[in-house]
Amino acid sequence: MIGAALRRVEDQRFLAGTGRFIADLSLPGELHCVFVRSPHPHARLRSIRSSGLIFTGKDLQGLQPMRCGWVLPGMSEPPRWPMAREVVRHVGEPVAMVFAESRPAAEDLAERVEVDYEPLPAIDGEHAFTWTRGDRAAVEQAMARASRKVEVELVNNRLCGAAIETRGAASTGDTLYVGTQAPHHIRRYVCEELGIAEAELRVISRDVGGGFGYKGKHYPEETLVVWAARRLRRPVKWIAGRNESFLSDTQGRDHVTRATLGLDEEGHFVGLQVTTRADLGAYVSSFGAAIAGPIYSALLAGVYRTPAVFVEVNGFFSNSVPTDAYRGAGRPEACYVLEQLADKAAGELGIDRAEIRRRNFIPPSAMPYKTPVGPTYDCGDFPKVFERALELADYAGFAKRRKPGHGIGIACYIESSGVAPSRLAAAMGARVGFYEVAQVRVAPDGSVTVFLGTHNHGQGHETTFAQILSQRLGVAFERIRIVEGDTGAVPTGTGTFGSRSVAVGGSALHVAGGKIIAKGKKIAAHLLEAAEADVEFDAGVFRVAGTDRGISFQEVARAAYAPNRYPDIEPGLDESAYYDPSNFAFSNGAHVCELEVDRATGEVRILRYSAVDDIGTVINPMIVEGQLHGGLAQGLGQALFERTVYDQGQLLSASFMDYALPRASDLPMFDSETDESQPCTHNPLGAKGCGEAGTIAAPAAVMSALRDALGVELEMPATPHRIWQAIMRK
Ligand code: MCN
């Protein structure tokens, strides 16, 4: 079962059109809600007038401000109200909510609301935090000794999520239906703000048409629809329009970085200094500061043995939508800095780009390896994965294939997947835990229902988790049902983000499965009239060691609910486990991109893309391939097409006419492979995450190939226009 390329069971309902998304939901007696949003980047609210049913920020008496889930030490966290009270700080910030019996009527009403704003000057770079990692003095010394230094200045372009289904929320007052990646976190945030007990609110997130990180965060509308439904005593439903999504979904990346790498004569990295300005937007979103600070900075050693690294991140506020996780979240930014430096260093030293990486990899013999920026990598064979990627890409043969306008690029990455050890996160300011919870409930007929705190929004969890448990218990895959996304059914949990579901949720499931086996052994010992210590369990059968006497899992399940047959054992077969990882799972890999540029138009065609990823033990290779492809599409999107553009606080890229997503015809066939030789050493499955892998390496690999093709420096996204201009300037 583990390692089997099973088809995704959840796809049945998607293909048959029976998925249950927010827009499919209709609550009896519902009122449709539309938000009135600020057209100003920064303004004082003077007055709001309307003749219809309307609430404004002033009506929200007694509510607590929104709080984020991770605050860095010494960070300022200005109050954020779900609807602005006196001042708006970004275009799209909610200022009022109106209600009507139909969506069009509510839209009309919203258009007739008169808001008197007094525009204020845009804030520019108001400081929110400074976060440092590593040893500044050691880096200064290393730089003084370095025989060569290379420097880069990079922009990591701001991106937005663009899921198929926009965000939405509907509530009866005691239930909140919302498309979220983290229903338990949302329940906590909403209940805290409303001042109600968690038992008073059930949060349901069924099918979600894409999350990509930005649906894992807490949004004002979640609290507002619950509050309004309670106040109006009628169900309330809101779903964002596409333009509204661009204006109100958290966005990702947005770094400006200056980095210097010191090298010795032979091209060994001796010191690295990184300074980054990270735009948080108008408010600190749930994990916005954590991603720009701890998550990003922790990976700035990368796969390289640089002895001294120092990172300083300055987070600042601006009049734009808050930034937070977007697939990759901090890790693509780190990879981009390191790989650009490695390429540039190779160029200046006149050595091959592959060779400079070989000289600097952390060898497997150095594992576990303590990086100068915090994390300790438990395992990984970076040179092996790298050589295999070069082989797959026929890197050595490229010189012969090369034509004018062709280029090849390399990117190596490491990722802190399996987010996160709660203890480590708390030491860096997290207010929430990052354990995961699995409950395994065996029915008297031996079928199993699993309740998990993770959330499936495209990752194939219903299939994967059933595979893990089927292997553990020997129960047929078809007899295992996976339940996620409902706080009424799953009492507690953390959610899906940071490629954590298999490494953390899967481990919780493995442990809960172990408890089922332990209890099953007790029951089987009675039924087999043997000592408990003599009972073994394998492939769905409890057996007395060294004999042919055995009893099936199904018979034990039946007996568990007919407790007349054994004394002194608590009836039932239903066990839970909380799993808090002891470390991150360090997925890693090497990607190679080959492309051609049409020098007349600046258009790029990816000819070949080869990726080798170490994600530890693979549960379902087919889903993994799909996850990698999806991630690669987003990574290529960042490199070539996507960019959120603000001009004086006005979002210019607020539609798909202006924000260019990659299309199928823009993507190549991917050659991807996994390397399973380095299973994660600290979780019982040996699994590392794969959900973000493609997004992390692809931007760096593409930009490396472009520089090779054209010999010019380009900024992401390298659009045809930018490329053409660069060619003309050359
Ligand atoms: N898997 C496996 N073996 C492993 C690791 C993963 O077989 N060692 C497979 C499993 O089938 C698992 C899937 O890959 O269901 C993803 O597992 P994992 O890497 O643990 O990632 P998560 O399930 O926690 O997903 C989160 C990740 C993130 S952070 C974003 S963002 C993202 C992504 O996944 N958003 C997605 N993939 C997405 N895919 C879709 N379709 N839609 C999104 O919004």
mmCIF file of all heavy atoms in Angstrom, residues 164-208:
data_model
loop_
_atom_site.group_PDB
_atom_site.id
_atom_site.type_symbol
_atom_site.label_atom_id
_atom_site.label_comp_id
_atom_site.label_asym_id
_atom_site.label_seq_id
_atom_site.Cartn_x
_atom_site.Cartn_y
_atom_site.Cartn_z
ATOM 1 N N ILE A 164 -9.165 28.117 -8.173
ATOM 2 C CA ILE A 164 -10.339 28.047 -9.049
ATOM 3 C C ILE A 164 -11.554 28.644 -8.344
ATOM 4 O O ILE A 164 -12.287 29.444 -8.904
ATOM 5 C CB ILE A 164 -10.628 26.594 -9.472
ATOM 6 C CG1 ILE A 164 -9.473 26.062 -10.309
ATOM 7 C CG2 ILE A 164 -11.931 26.512 -10.262
ATOM 8 C CD1 ILE A 164 -9.584 24.590 -10.639
ATOM 9 N N GLU A 165 -11.758 28.236 -7.079
ATOM 10 C CA GLU A 165 -12.871 28.839 -6.339
ATOM 11 C C GLU A 165 -12.345 29.986 -5.481
ATOM 12 O O GLU A 165 -11.355 29.845 -4.769
ATOM 13 C CB GLU A 165 -13.569 27.817 -5.430
ATOM 14 C CG GLU A 165 -14.738 28.491 -4.697
ATOM 15 C CD GLU A 165 -15.666 27.565 -3.923
ATOM 16 O OE1 GLU A 165 -15.166 26.776 -3.124
ATOM 17 O OE2 GLU A 165 -16.895 27.675 -4.119
ATOM 18 N N THR A 166 -13.038 31.107 -5.548
ATOM 19 C CA THR A 166 -12.643 32.249 -4.729
ATOM 20 C C THR A 166 -12.984 31.946 -3.266
ATOM 21 O O THR A 166 -13.695 30.994 -2.973
ATOM 22 C CB THR A 166 -13.392 33.511 -5.168
ATOM 23 O OG1 THR A 166 -14.791 33.211 -5.157
ATOM 24 C CG2 THR A 166 -12.972 33.937 -6.567
ATOM 25 N N ARG A 167 -12.504 32.794 -2.364
ATOM 26 C CA ARG A 167 -12.840 32.584 -0.948
ATOM 27 C C ARG A 167 -14.329 32.819 -0.745
ATOM 28 O O ARG A 167 -14.961 33.588 -1.453
ATOM 29 C CB ARG A 167 -12.049 33.554 -0.067
ATOM 30 C CG ARG A 167 -10.631 33.121 0.184
ATOM 31 C CD ARG A 167 -9.977 33.927 1.287
ATOM 32 N NE ARG A 167 -10.031 35.355 1.058
ATOM 33 C CZ ARG A 167 -10.700 36.218 1.818
ATOM 34 N NH1 ARG A 167 -11.392 35.796 2.883
ATOM 35 N NH2 ARG A 167 -10.694 37.504 1.543
ATOM 36 N N GLY A 168 -14.855 32.161 0.280
ATOM 37 C CA GLY A 168 -16.253 32.370 0.611
ATOM 38 C C GLY A 168 -16.494 31.917 2.030
ATOM 39 O O GLY A 168 -15.693 31.164 2.599
ATOM 40 N N ALA A 169 -17.592 32.398 2.616
ATOM 41 C CA ALA A 169 -17.943 31.993 3.975
ATOM 42 C C ALA A 169 -19.443 32.118 4.136
ATOM 43 O O ALA A 169 -20.058 33.064 3.633
ATOM 44 C CB ALA A 169 -17.224 32.871 5.001
ATOM 45 N N ALA A 170 -20.031 31.155 4.822
ATOM 46 C CA ALA A 170 -21.472 31.193 5.089
ATOM 47 C C ALA A 170 -21.676 30.702 6.507
ATOM 48 O O ALA A 170 -20.934 29.830 6.978
ATOM 49 C CB ALA A 170 -22.214 30.291 4.106
ATOM 50 N N SER A 171 -22.657 31.293 7.179
ATOM 51 C CA SER A 171 -22.838 30.894 8.577
ATOM 52 C C SER A 171 -24.295 30.916 8.995
ATOM 53 O O SER A 171 -25.081 31.766 8.559
ATOM 54 C CB SER A 171 -22.037 31.825 9.485
ATOM 55 O OG SER A 171 -22.219 31.440 10.832
ATOM 56 N N THR A 172 -24.621 29.976 9.865
ATOM 57 C CA THR A 172 -25.931 29.974 10.510
ATOM 58 C C THR A 172 -25.843 30.645 11.875
ATOM 59 O O THR A 172 -26.829 30.751 12.582
ATOM 60 C CB THR A 172 -26.392 28.519 10.734
ATOM 61 O OG1 THR A 172 -25.357 27.856 11.480
ATOM 62 C CG2 THR A 172 -26.638 27.788 9.433
ATOM 63 N N GLY A 173 -24.663 31.012 12.273
ATOM 64 C CA GLY A 173 -24.457 31.563 13.609
ATOM 65 C C GLY A 173 -23.772 30.559 14.515
ATOM 66 O O GLY A 173 -22.905 30.908 15.290
ATOM 67 N N ASP A 174 -24.158 29.288 14.397
ATOM 68 C CA ASP A 174 -23.425 28.286 15.178
ATOM 69 C C ASP A 174 -22.573 27.370 14.304
ATOM 70 O O ASP A 174 -21.821 26.541 14.807
ATOM 71 C CB ASP A 174 -24.348 27.480 16.105
ATOM 72 C CG ASP A 174 -25.500 26.851 15.367
ATOM 73 O OD1 ASP A 174 -25.471 26.837 14.124
ATOM 74 O OD2 ASP A 174 -26.438 26.379 16.038
ATOM 75 N N THR A 175 -22.699 27.532 13.001
ATOM 76 C CA THR A 175 -21.808 26.800 12.090
ATOM 77 C C THR A 175 -21.239 27.802 11.087
ATOM 78 O O THR A 175 -21.956 28.685 10.616
ATOM 79 C CB THR A 175 -22.583 25.703 11.320
ATOM 80 O OG1 THR A 175 -23.174 24.823 12.279
ATOM 81 C CG2 THR A 175 -21.662 24.902 10.416
ATOM 82 N N LEU A 176 -19.956 27.643 10.793
ATOM 83 C CA LEU A 176 -19.316 28.465 9.765
ATOM 84 C C LEU A 176 -18.827 27.535 8.664
ATOM 85 O O LEU A 176 -18.033 26.640 8.921
ATOM 86 C CB LEU A 176 -18.124 29.230 10.370
ATOM 87 C CG LEU A 176 -17.171 29.906 9.375
ATOM 88 C CD1 LEU A 176 -17.869 31.015 8.588
ATOM 89 C CD2 LEU A 176 -15.940 30.476 10.103
ATOM 90 N N TYR A 177 -19.341 27.738 7.460
ATOM 91 C CA TYR A 177 -18.850 27.008 6.289
ATOM 92 C C TYR A 177 -17.847 27.913 5.599
ATOM 93 O O TYR A 177 -18.186 29.052 5.256
ATOM 94 C CB TYR A 177 -19.990 26.705 5.314
ATOM 95 C CG TYR A 177 -21.082 25.839 5.903
ATOM 96 C CD1 TYR A 177 -22.154 26.415 6.584
ATOM 97 C CD2 TYR A 177 -21.042 24.455 5.773
ATOM 98 C CE1 TYR A 177 -23.154 25.629 7.127
ATOM 99 C CE2 TYR A 177 -22.042 23.663 6.308
ATOM 100 C CZ TYR A 177 -23.096 24.250 6.986
ATOM 101 O OH TYR A 177 -24.083 23.469 7.518
ATOM 102 N N VAL A 178 -16.663 27.434 5.424
ATOM 103 C CA VAL A 178 -15.635 28.292 4.855
ATOM 104 C C VAL A 178 -14.636 27.434 4.089
ATOM 105 O O VAL A 178 -14.376 26.296 4.481
ATOM 106 C CB VAL A 178 -14.948 29.118 5.982
ATOM 107 C CG1 VAL A 178 -14.315 28.223 7.035
ATOM 108 C CG2 VAL A 178 -13.914 30.089 5.461
ATOM 109 N N GLY A 179 -14.138 27.952 3.003
ATOM 110 C CA GLY A 179 -13.097 27.217 2.267
ATOM 111 C C GLY A 179 -11.756 27.541 2.885
ATOM 112 O O GLY A 179 -11.154 28.547 2.554
ATOM 113 N N THR A 180 -11.314 26.711 3.816
ATOM 114 C CA THR A 180 -10.050 27.001 4.504
ATOM 115 C C THR A 180 -9.192 25.756 4.599
ATOM 116 O O THR A 180 -9.709 24.637 4.600
ATOM 117 C CB THR A 180 -10.288 27.555 5.923
ATOM 118 O OG1 THR A 180 -9.017 27.790 6.547
ATOM 119 C CG2 THR A 180 -11.070 26.592 6.802
ATOM 120 N N GLN A 181 -7.896 25.963 4.743
ATOM 121 C CA GLN A 181 -6.948 24.861 4.913
ATOM 122 C C GLN A 181 -6.782 24.484 6.386
ATOM 123 O O GLN A 181 -6.120 23.492 6.690
ATOM 124 C CB GLN A 181 -5.576 25.273 4.371
ATOM 125 C CG GLN A 181 -5.583 25.697 2.913
ATOM 126 C CD GLN A 181 -4.276 26.301 2.452
ATOM 127 O OE1 GLN A 181 -4.288 27.167 1.590
ATOM 128 N NE2 GLN A 181 -3.135 25.890 2.989
ATOM 129 N N ALA A 182 -7.326 25.311 7.288
ATOM 130 C CA ALA A 182 -7.060 25.106 8.715
ATOM 131 C C ALA A 182 -8.310 25.390 9.552
ATOM 132 O O ALA A 182 -8.364 26.379 10.274
ATOM 133 C CB ALA A 182 -5.902 25.993 9.153
ATOM 134 N N PRO A 183 -9.337 24.532 9.469
ATOM 135 C CA PRO A 183 -10.604 24.835 10.142
ATOM 136 C C PRO A 183 -10.476 25.017 11.659
ATOM 137 O O PRO A 183 -11.185 25.850 12.235
ATOM 138 C CB PRO A 183 -11.493 23.630 9.832
ATOM 139 C CG PRO A 183 -10.700 22.678 9.013
ATOM 140 C CD PRO A 183 -9.384 23.292 8.677
ATOM 141 N N HIS A 184 -9.563 24.283 12.292
ATOM 142 C CA HIS A 184 -9.455 24.423 13.753
ATOM 143 C C HIS A 184 -8.835 25.758 14.144
ATOM 144 O O HIS A 184 -9.224 26.355 15.142
ATOM 145 C CB HIS A 184 -8.669 23.251 14.350
ATOM 146 C CG HIS A 184 -9.365 21.948 14.145
ATOM 147 N ND1 HIS A 184 -9.166 21.173 13.023
ATOM 148 C CD2 HIS A 184 -10.306 21.311 14.881
ATOM 149 C CE1 HIS A 184 -9.942 20.102 13.101
ATOM 150 N NE2 HIS A 184 -10.644 20.152 14.207
ATOM 151 N N HIS A 185 -7.876 26.208 13.360
ATOM 152 C CA HIS A 185 -7.314 27.531 13.636
ATOM 153 C C HIS A 185 -8.384 28.599 13.440
ATOM 154 O O HIS A 185 -8.493 29.529 14.238
ATOM 155 C CB HIS A 185 -6.124 27.822 12.705
ATOM 156 C CG HIS A 185 -4.839 27.239 13.199
ATOM 157 N ND1 HIS A 185 -3.651 27.440 12.572
ATOM 158 C CD2 HIS A 185 -4.567 26.459 14.274
ATOM 159 C CE1 HIS A 185 -2.679 26.815 13.239
ATOM 160 N NE2 HIS A 185 -3.224 26.197 14.260
ATOM 161 N N ILE A 186 -9.169 28.459 12.387
ATOM 162 C CA ILE A 186 -10.193 29.476 12.115
ATOM 163 C C ILE A 186 -11.212 29.499 13.263
ATOM 164 O O ILE A 186 -11.625 30.565 13.720
ATOM 165 C CB ILE A 186 -10.894 29.198 10.762
ATOM 166 C CG1 ILE A 186 -9.872 29.208 9.616
ATOM 167 C CG2 ILE A 186 -12.018 30.212 10.498
ATOM 168 C CD1 ILE A 186 -8.957 30.398 9.537
ATOM 169 N N ARG A 187 -11.594 28.301 13.738
ATOM 170 C CA ARG A 187 -12.535 28.272 14.867
ATOM 171 C C ARG A 187 -11.950 29.052 16.044
ATOM 172 O O ARG A 187 -12.643 29.839 16.681
ATOM 173 C CB ARG A 187 -12.813 26.821 15.290
ATOM 174 C CG ARG A 187 -13.753 26.745 16.478
ATOM 175 C CD ARG A 187 -14.083 25.318 16.867
ATOM 176 N NE ARG A 187 -12.894 24.571 17.292
ATOM 177 C CZ ARG A 187 -12.912 23.312 17.690
ATOM 178 N NH1 ARG A 187 -14.062 22.643 17.717
ATOM 179 N NH2 ARG A 187 -11.796 22.701 18.052
ATOM 180 N N ARG A 188 -10.676 28.841 16.327
ATOM 181 C CA ARG A 188 -10.086 29.518 17.482
ATOM 182 C C ARG A 188 -10.074 31.028 17.289
ATOM 183 O O ARG A 188 -10.479 31.786 18.159
ATOM 184 C CB ARG A 188 -8.660 29.016 17.727
ATOM 185 C CG ARG A 188 -8.025 29.710 18.910
ATOM 186 C CD ARG A 188 -6.916 28.944 19.577
ATOM 187 N NE ARG A 188 -6.923 27.541 19.258
ATOM 188 C CZ ARG A 188 -5.809 26.838 19.010
ATOM 189 N NH1 ARG A 188 -4.640 27.422 19.058
ATOM 190 N NH2 ARG A 188 -5.876 25.558 18.720
ATOM 191 N N TYR A 189 -9.623 31.475 16.126
ATOM 192 C CA TYR A 189 -9.545 32.918 15.882
ATOM 193 C C TYR A 189 -10.937 33.555 15.990
ATOM 194 O O TYR A 189 -11.122 34.579 16.633
ATOM 195 C CB TYR A 189 -9.001 33.202 14.480
ATOM 196 C CG TYR A 189 -7.533 32.902 14.242
ATOM 197 C CD1 TYR A 189 -7.142 32.076 13.191
ATOM 198 C CD2 TYR A 189 -6.539 33.481 15.022
ATOM 199 C CE1 TYR A 189 -5.799 31.824 12.919
ATOM 200 C CE2 TYR A 189 -5.184 33.233 14.751
ATOM 201 C CZ TYR A 189 -4.825 32.402 13.709
ATOM 202 O OH TYR A 189 -3.498 32.160 13.431
ATOM 203 N N VAL A 190 -11.915 32.946 15.307
ATOM 204 C CA VAL A 190 -13.253 33.552 15.267
ATOM 205 C C VAL A 190 -13.848 33.576 16.675
ATOM 206 O O VAL A 190 -14.417 34.588 17.104
ATOM 207 C CB VAL A 190 -14.169 32.787 14.279
ATOM 208 C CG1 VAL A 190 -15.612 33.260 14.390
ATOM 209 C CG2 VAL A 190 -13.660 32.950 12.846
ATOM 210 N N CYS A 191 -13.728 32.482 17.404
ATOM 211 C CA CYS A 191 -14.303 32.433 18.751
ATOM 212 C C CYS A 191 -13.636 33.438 19.675
ATOM 213 O O CYS A 191 -14.313 34.096 20.472
ATOM 214 C CB CYS A 191 -14.213 31.021 19.328
ATOM 215 S SG CYS A 191 -15.318 29.882 18.485
ATOM 216 N N GLU A 192 -12.327 33.586 19.548
ATOM 217 C CA GLU A 192 -11.626 34.568 20.390
ATOM 218 C C GLU A 192 -12.132 35.972 20.102
ATOM 219 O O GLU A 192 -12.379 36.759 21.003
ATOM 220 C CB GLU A 192 -10.117 34.529 20.104
ATOM 221 C CG GLU A 192 -9.386 33.523 20.958
ATOM 222 C CD GLU A 192 -7.894 33.441 20.628
ATOM 223 O OE1 GLU A 192 -7.380 34.302 19.873
ATOM 224 O OE2 GLU A 192 -7.263 32.502 21.111
ATOM 225 N N GLU A 193 -12.308 36.269 18.822
ATOM 226 C CA GLU A 193 -12.731 37.631 18.473
ATOM 227 C C GLU A 193 -14.166 37.903 18.897
ATOM 228 O O GLU A 193 -14.513 39.002 19.305
ATOM 229 C CB GLU A 193 -12.567 37.866 16.963
ATOM 230 C CG GLU A 193 -11.108 38.052 16.603
ATOM 231 C CD GLU A 193 -10.799 37.648 15.167
ATOM 232 O OE1 GLU A 193 -11.663 37.817 14.294
ATOM 233 O OE2 GLU A 193 -9.680 37.138 14.934
ATOM 234 N N LEU A 194 -15.021 36.864 18.790
ATOM 235 C CA LEU A 194 -16.427 37.053 19.173
ATOM 236 C C LEU A 194 -16.627 36.898 20.679
ATOM 237 O O LEU A 194 -17.690 37.215 21.197
ATOM 238 C CB LEU A 194 -17.312 36.043 18.451
ATOM 239 C CG LEU A 194 -17.403 36.159 16.926
ATOM 240 C CD1 LEU A 194 -18.322 35.082 16.363
ATOM 241 C CD2 LEU A 194 -17.911 37.544 16.513
ATOM 242 N N GLY A 195 -15.628 36.351 21.356
ATOM 243 C CA GLY A 195 -15.758 36.116 22.792
ATOM 244 C C GLY A 195 -16.731 34.988 23.097
ATOM 245 O O GLY A 195 -17.481 35.045 24.067
ATOM 246 N N ILE A 196 -16.737 33.943 22.270
ATOM 247 C CA ILE A 196 -17.600 32.782 22.528
ATOM 248 C C ILE A 196 -16.739 31.539 22.719
ATOM 249 O O ILE A 196 -15.584 31.504 22.298
ATOM 250 C CB ILE A 196 -18.634 32.550 21.391
ATOM 251 C CG1 ILE A 196 -17.924 32.279 20.049
ATOM 252 C CG2 ILE A 196 -19.581 33.744 21.268
ATOM 253 C CD1 ILE A 196 -18.865 31.879 18.917
ATOM 254 N N ALA A 197 -17.329 30.521 23.352
ATOM 255 C CA ALA A 197 -16.584 29.279 23.595
ATOM 256 C C ALA A 197 -16.434 28.519 22.274
ATOM 257 O O ALA A 197 -17.326 28.562 21.421
ATOM 258 C CB ALA A 197 -17.334 28.416 24.606
ATOM 259 N N GLU A 198 -15.333 27.804 22.131
ATOM 260 C CA GLU A 198 -15.127 27.024 20.905
ATOM 261 C C GLU A 198 -16.245 26.008 20.695
ATOM 262 O O GLU A 198 -16.572 25.654 19.569
ATOM 263 C CB GLU A 198 -13.756 26.338 20.924
ATOM 264 C CG GLU A 198 -12.613 27.324 20.781
ATOM 265 C CD GLU A 198 -11.306 26.684 20.340
ATOM 266 O OE1 GLU A 198 -11.309 25.565 19.810
ATOM 267 O OE2 GLU A 198 -10.261 27.331 20.552
ATOM 268 N N ALA A 199 -16.826 25.543 21.787
ATOM 269 C CA ALA A 199 -17.914 24.561 21.676
ATOM 270 C C ALA A 199 -19.139 25.171 20.992
ATOM 271 O O ALA A 199 -20.018 24.454 20.517
ATOM 272 C CB ALA A 199 -18.288 24.044 23.054
ATOM 273 N N GLU A 200 -19.216 26.476 20.929
ATOM 274 C CA GLU A 200 -20.387 27.135 20.333
ATOM 275 C C GLU A 200 -20.294 27.275 18.827
ATOM 276 O O GLU A 200 -21.232 27.752 18.193
ATOM 277 C CB GLU A 200 -20.556 28.539 20.932
ATOM 278 C CG GLU A 200 -21.138 28.551 22.319
ATOM 279 C CD GLU A 200 -21.430 29.968 22.767
ATOM 280 O OE1 GLU A 200 -22.131 30.709 22.047
ATOM 281 O OE2 GLU A 200 -20.919 30.346 23.834
ATOM 282 N N LEU A 201 -19.157 26.936 18.255
ATOM 283 C CA LEU A 201 -19.006 27.129 16.812
ATOM 284 C C LEU A 201 -18.422 25.888 16.146
ATOM 285 O O LEU A 201 -17.398 25.362 16.583
ATOM 286 C CB LEU A 201 -18.095 28.332 16.519
ATOM 287 C CG LEU A 201 -17.999 28.706 15.035
ATOM 288 C CD1 LEU A 201 -19.323 29.284 14.520
ATOM 289 C CD2 LEU A 201 -16.873 29.710 14.790
ATOM 290 N N ARG A 202 -19.106 25.452 15.103
ATOM 291 C CA ARG A 202 -18.582 24.335 14.298
ATOM 292 C C ARG A 202 -18.096 24.925 12.975
ATOM 293 O O ARG A 202 -18.819 25.698 12.340
ATOM 294 C CB ARG A 202 -19.725 23.352 14.064
ATOM 295 C CG ARG A 202 -19.368 22.193 13.174
ATOM 296 C CD ARG A 202 -20.565 21.256 13.103
ATOM 297 N NE ARG A 202 -20.323 20.187 12.156
ATOM 298 C CZ ARG A 202 -21.268 19.364 11.719
ATOM 299 N NH1 ARG A 202 -22.515 19.478 12.161
ATOM 300 N NH2 ARG A 202 -20.976 18.420 10.870
ATOM 301 N N VAL A 203 -16.895 24.578 12.588
ATOM 302 C CA VAL A 203 -16.353 25.084 11.323
ATOM 303 C C VAL A 203 -16.239 23.925 10.340
ATOM 304 O O VAL A 203 -15.649 22.890 10.661
ATOM 305 C CB VAL A 203 -14.974 25.761 11.534
ATOM 306 C CG1 VAL A 203 -14.387 26.211 10.194
ATOM 307 C CG2 VAL A 203 -15.110 26.956 12.467
ATOM 308 N N ILE A 204 -16.840 24.121 9.181
ATOM 309 C CA ILE A 204 -16.837 23.065 8.162
ATOM 310 C C ILE A 204 -16.183 23.599 6.892
ATOM 311 O O ILE A 204 -16.592 24.619 6.352
ATOM 312 C CB ILE A 204 -18.274 22.598 7.840
ATOM 313 C CG1 ILE A 204 -18.942 22.061 9.109
ATOM 314 C CG2 ILE A 204 -18.256 21.536 6.739
ATOM 315 C CD1 ILE A 204 -20.374 21.596 8.909
ATOM 316 N N SER A 205 -15.170 22.878 6.448
ATOM 317 C CA SER A 205 -14.522 23.231 5.180
ATOM 318 C C SER A 205 -14.495 21.971 4.334
ATOM 319 O O SER A 205 -13.690 21.079 4.560
ATOM 320 C CB SER A 205 -13.094 23.716 5.454
ATOM 321 O OG SER A 205 -12.447 23.992 4.239
ATOM 322 N N ARG A 206 -15.425 21.886 3.412
ATOM 323 C CA ARG A 206 -15.516 20.656 2.622
ATOM 324 C C ARG A 206 -14.570 20.746 1.446
ATOM 325 O O ARG A 206 -13.375 20.892 1.616
ATOM 326 C CB ARG A 206 -16.965 20.447 2.196
ATOM 327 C CG ARG A 206 -17.816 20.024 3.393
ATOM 328 C CD ARG A 206 -19.231 19.742 2.971
ATOM 329 N NE ARG A 206 -19.987 19.245 4.102
ATOM 330 C CZ ARG A 206 -21.244 19.569 4.369
ATOM 331 N NH1 ARG A 206 -21.891 20.392 3.568
ATOM 332 N NH2 ARG A 206 -21.857 19.077 5.410
ATOM 333 N N ASP A 207 -15.077 20.671 0.243
ATOM 334 C CA ASP A 207 -14.170 20.734 -0.896
ATOM 335 C C ASP A 207 -13.743 22.182 -1.110
ATOM 336 O O ASP A 207 -14.562 23.100 -1.046
ATOM 337 C CB ASP A 207 -14.868 20.181 -2.140
ATOM 338 C CG ASP A 207 -15.150 18.697 -1.961
ATOM 339 O OD1 ASP A 207 -14.276 18.006 -1.416
ATOM 340 O OD2 ASP A 207 -16.240 18.239 -2.334
ATOM 341 N N VAL A 208 -12.462 22.348 -1.352
ATOM 342 C CA VAL A 208 -11.902 23.686 -1.536
ATOM 343 C C VAL A 208 -11.195 23.681 -2.878
ATOM 344 O O VAL A 208 -10.308 22.868 -3.107
ATOM 345 C CB VAL A 208 -10.911 24.020 -0.400
ATOM 346 C CG1 VAL A 208 -10.216 25.335 -0.665
ATOM 347 C CG2 VAL A 208 -11.633 24.064 0.937
#
